[in-house]
Amino acid sequence: LSGVTLPVQTHLLRRVDLLDGGAAQLDHLVVSGDHLFFTANQTLNRLDLATFETIALPGAAVADALTFAHGSLWVALRDGSENRVQALNPRTLSSEGLLELPQSARVRALAFSGAHLLVTQQGGPLQLYHLAAGSMRGHAAPLSPIPSQVFRQGETLTLSLTDTAGISSVRYLNGH
């Protein structure tokens, strides 16, 4: 594609600055659907994408890595010599009743695939956790349509979930 130029109509472009970190180092941007989570100088922050209000996570722990999965924000926290991966409620930033995984070294990265959490430690091994279904909050059970409901051509099919808490996206498959 060398030498290819794309026509850009500048009047169609609009730039909006949502975050101004000033002198702060902004890292680890993660979106949950309703919120943007990020670290500013290693302090966890949440930006509400509806109101653009930013809230800093209280406490002295340093956030080294973030990921969002199964309705929870997963954060690698470091507090003195203690290292842990903590699940947080994205709306309240509370860890009450959620999973905590102690770590032997500083965590550098977190990743999810299905029910598996991969934790990368600084100078240490990779750890793979298989999380039980009970520790994952998201549940995509449909509210509508109800089972065995029949639709005819021209009718409207409404898709909705029983509980949207902890769900950032749902993929509906058409066919088999």
Side-chain angles (χ1 to χ4, degrees):
L1 296 175
S2 177
V4 174
T5 58
L6 298 175
V8 176
Q9 298 177 3
T10 56
H11 66 279
L12 296 177
L13 299 177
R14 189 179 80 163
R15 177 181 157 180
V16 178
D17 294 329
L18 296 178
L19 297 173
D20 178 14
Q25 175 72 34
L26 301 180
D27 287 311
H28 310 297
L29 290 114
V30 175
V31 176
S32 72
D34 296 326
H35 302 101
L36 171 68
F37 298 94
F38 62 95
T39 58
N41 292 338
Q42 299 180 322
T43 300
L44 179 62
N45 290 268
R46 181 187 71 197
L47 172 69
D48 186 308
L49 294 175
T51 65
F52 302 116
E53 178 185 3
T54 302
I55 298 171
L57 179 70
V62 172
D64 287 321
L66 306 175
T67 192
F68 186 83
H70 303 293
S72 294
L73 176 67
W74 296 80
V75 184
L77 295 171
R78 178 171 38 101
D79 190 5
S81 62
E82 179 184 316
N83 297 285
R84 68 188 184 281
V85 173
Q86 179 69 62
L88 298 176
N89 180 318
R91 287 179 175 29
T92 64
L93 295 178
S94 168
S95 61
E96 187 175 329
L98 298 176
L99 192 61
E100 179 180 316
L101 303 169
Q103 301 295 306
S104 60
R106 182 178 179 181
V107 174
R108 302 305 286 171
L110 300 170
F112 259 97
S113 179
H116 295 97
L117 170 63
L118 179 67
V119 177
T120 305
Q121 293 182 346
Q122 180 172 322
L126 297 175
Q127 295 184 339
L128 182 64
Y129 293 91
H130 178 80
L131 301 178
S135 64
M136 297 182 281
R137 298 176 51 234
H139 182 60
L143 175 64
S144 67
I146 59 173
S148 302
Q149 188 173 0
V150 176
F151 293 90
R152 292 180 176 54
Q153 186 173 353
E155 292 182 334
T156 301
L157 170 65
T158 302
L159 300 174
S160 64
L161 300 176
T162 302
D163 182 10
T164 59
I167 304 294
S168 61
S169 68
V170 176
R171 185 180 346 175
Y172 292 99
L173 301 176
N174 182 13
H176 317 309

